[in-house]
Amino acid sequence: MSRHPNIVILTGAGISAESGVPTFRASDGLWENHRIEDVATPQAFRRNPTLVQTFYDQRRAFLGQVNPNAAHLALARLEAAWKGDFLLVTQNVDDLHDRAGHNQLLHMHGELNSALCTRCGAARPWTGPLLGNPTCPACRQPGGLRPDIVWFGEMPYHMNRIEAALAACDLFVSIGTSGAVYPAAGFVGWARDAEAKTLELNLEPSAGTPMFDEARHGPASVLVPAWVEEVLGSR
Ligand code: APR
């Protein structure tokens, strides 16, 4: 390991669960009472834009009712104190990592608080509703804005940067993700190819658990602060 090890962290819905944001793969297989294919695919948006816009408008509005929890805050402390390279990659579209405070944060599946214009391609910060054909702040055309969310069948964001960070990392930590969705589920394999140490922190064993050098199971609000203290204490 280099003197200041490089860390890449991947988070999923589990890190926001204790803030009150529902995870995706609940036992009923529904996401907030909807089948994923009815709200999280480009086909769903073409078929029923009102349903999809309403669904994400509700998720966006709900962000005002939730706050970062101890796990988000611990990762922000870690980034602020870390001397090596640090990159936080999240699959989450909520803004809880942003509000905890990060400089090195990538939303690989997009963000609720961003709108993407299907006419001009611009992505812009957006906190209000998208239903009702609002005007794009970039091209001034109405009717082209959609949630800036990477739906199933679309290409995740920032893959070049993520791949480069994983190739240079010494420690890869996966937090609160079921390991069901690629390419994120494959990051542990890329980290292993780079001979990084790998650690899973999740409520329960995930699909990827056998791939990790070490796995700790329990709530993120307990496991993550404890791990961060351990890492910072051992510098
Ligand atoms: N602490 C830690 N882990 C938790 C907690 C908690 N309090 N609560 C739940 N978990 C774990 C669950 O055990 C599960 O393994 O978090 C994981 C959440 O898994 P998913 O709901 O599948 O969410 P995620 O892995 O982020 O999904 C990946 O799938 O639908 C798409 O694009 C969407 O980004 C999402 C992607």
Side-chain angles (χ1 to χ4, degrees):
M1 269 200 190
S2 59
R3 191 155 163 276
H4 298 302
N6 298 337
I7 298 181
V8 176
I9 296 175
L10 171 71
T11 62
I15 197 166
S16 296
E18 290 163 85
S19 292
V21 182
T23 58
F24 294 96
R25 289 173 183 77
S27 52
D28 59 5
L30 299 180
W31 183 22
E32 306 258 319
N33 302 319
H34 291 278
R35 296 185 313 153
I36 285 177
E37 53 272 37
D38 289 338
V39 290
T41 63
Q43 294 80 357
F45 185 55
R46 278 197 294 274
R47 206 165 44 231
N48 193 343
T50 301
L51 171 77
V52 174
Q53 295 285 30
T54 304
F55 178 78
Y56 287 97
D57 281 356
Q58 288 169 351
R59 307 277 78 71
R60 192 177 307 108
F62 181 67
L63 294 180
Q65 296 174 39
V66 295
N67 289 303
N69 66 48
H72 299 100
L73 298 173
L75 293 184
R77 275 201 306 282
L78 179 61
E79 182 187 312
W82 199 245
K83 298 271 192 290
D85 289 349
F86 177 100
L87 181 65
L88 174 56
V89 180
T90 188
Q91 300 169 89
N92 299 344
V93 296
D94 66 52
D95 64 346
L96 297 179
H97 284 308
D98 308 69
R99 282 197 262 153
H102 281 278
N103 292 315
Q104 302 299 327
L105 166 63
L106 298 178
H107 282 270
M108 67 177 289
H109 290 167
E111 296 175 67
L112 283 167
N113 282 339
S114 177
L116 178 65
C117 183
T118 55
R119 295 186 193 278
C120 74
R124 291 286 185 272
W126 196 271
T127 52
L130 283 171
L131 198 63
N133 296 330
T135 299
C136 169
C139 69
R140 303 279 161 205
Q141 296 293 310
L145 293 179
R146 57 163 270 188
D148 190 8
I149 302 286
V150 176
W151 286 323
F152 283 92
E154 297 183 321
M155 188 65 78
Y157 291 150
H158 312 297
M159 287 308 297
N160 288 346
R161 252 189 91 187
I162 295 168
E163 199 170 347
L166 285 168
C169 86
D170 301 295
L171 175 60
F172 171 74
V173 187
S174 170
I175 303 172
T177 175
S178 59
V181 174
Y182 282 81
F187 290 174
V188 59
W190 300 4
R192 287 172 68 106
D193 290 345
E195 298 183 1
K197 286 192 175 166
T198 56
L199 168 67
E200 173 180 77
L201 304 176
N202 202 49
L203 188 61
E204 60 202 354
S206 74
T209 299
M211 293 283 284
F212 288 85
D213 295 321
E214 186 187 348
R216 301 179 188 177
H217 296 132
S221 67
V222 175
L223 293 186
V224 178
W227 170 72
V228 167
E229 292 319 310
E230 199 178 298
V231 169
L232 291 179
S234 67
R235 279 177 306 167

